[in-house]
């Protein structure tokens, strides 16, 4: 029927590209599989699994067991795993809140290697940083040259 065709087309259009983010990778981070959380971000794992805490929302950062005590922001640390947000500044040796991440189709890179991660306030002005948990700003890819998409993974054909 026409409704079935529309549902198939709609699910195909809205499918999230998770080519480079396996279920095992997300499971190792104690997160839902890529594409299961809204908003669906290409190659980004979902929310923390039940019983785990970490950066809220879709992310490729580690979620930690809720029952394990972690150091708070500003505490002295020697490794990321000691800190609540899994980020120990190696210069100050203190637990800090990390910056928000931009999506990428290639793990451990920004914007699929074809752009830079930009931080923007609520009026779309670029700012110097945007920390996890700050609802007044966002992280978005600023793509280079002929690349586009939320993670700069698409190339525009030049006619």
């Amino acid at each position: 029927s026409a409704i079935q065709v529309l549902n198939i087309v709609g699910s195909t259009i809205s499918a999230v590209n998770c080519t480079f983010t396996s279920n095992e990778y997300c499971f190792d981070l104690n997160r839902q599989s890529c594409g299961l959380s809204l908003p669906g971000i290409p190659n980004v794992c979902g929310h923390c699994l039940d019983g785990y805490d970490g950066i809220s929302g879709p992310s490729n950062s580690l979620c930690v067991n809720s029952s394990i005590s972690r150091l708070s922001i500003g505490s002295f640390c020697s490794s990321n795993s000691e800190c609540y947000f899994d980020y120990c500044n190696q210069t100050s040796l203190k637990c800090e809140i990390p910056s928000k991440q931009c999506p990428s189709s290639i793990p451990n890179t920004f914007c699929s290697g074809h752009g830079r991660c930009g931080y923007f306030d609520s009026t779309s002005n670029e700012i110097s940083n945007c920390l996890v948990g700050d609802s007044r700003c966002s992280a978005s890819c600023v793509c280079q040259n002929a690349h586009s998409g939320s993670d700069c993974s698409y190339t525009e054909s030049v006619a």
Side-chain angles (χ1 to χ4, degrees):
S1 77
I3 292 175
Q4 288 174 321
V5 170
L6 287 174
N7 284 338
I8 292 170
V9 170
S11 64
T12 302
I13 291 171
S14 63
V16 177
N17 180 0
C18 295
T19 306
F20 300 103
T21 309
S22 68
N23 289 335
E24 293 80 19
Y25 174 76
C26 294
F27 183 75
D28 287 345
L29 295 174
N30 303 311
R31 289 189 167 274
Q32 294 175 344
S33 295
C34 174
L36 294 182
S37 297
L38 292 178
I41 302 171
N43 296 297
V44 176
C45 299
H47 296 275
C48 291
L49 298 173
D50 288 340
Y52 291 87
D53 290 325
I55 293 173
S56 178
S59 175
N60 285 343
S61 64
L62 180 69
C63 295
V64 296
N65 189 318
S66 306
S67 64
I68 297 174
S69 179
R70 298 289 204 130
L71 297 173
S72 60
I73 303 305
S75 299
F76 285 101
C77 56
S78 59
S79 69
N80 289 338
S81 62
E82 297 175 307
C83 301
Y84 180 77
F85 282 105
D86 201 43
Y87 180 64
C88 178
N89 182 312
Q90 294 303 303
T91 303
S92 67
L93 296 179
K94 289 188 176 183
C95 294
E96 294 182 358
I97 300 173
S99 297
K100 289 184 180 179
Q101 298 176 339
C102 280
S104 183
S105 65
I106 303 169
N108 301 317
T109 65
F110 293 109
C111 304
S112 308
H114 301 292
R116 65 178 176 80
C117 192
Y119 302 110
F120 301 89
D121 65 19
S122 58
T123 58
S124 299
N125 293 312
E126 192 159 6
I127 55 178
S128 62
N129 199 5
C130 178
L131 300 179
V132 166
D134 187 343
S135 62
R136 300 167 297 168
C137 60
S138 62
S140 298
C141 288
V142 178
C143 301
Q144 299 170 337
N145 304 336
H147 289 86
S148 63
S150 64
D151 62 353
C152 301
S153 63
Y154 299 103
T155 54
E156 300 168 5
S157 59
V158 179

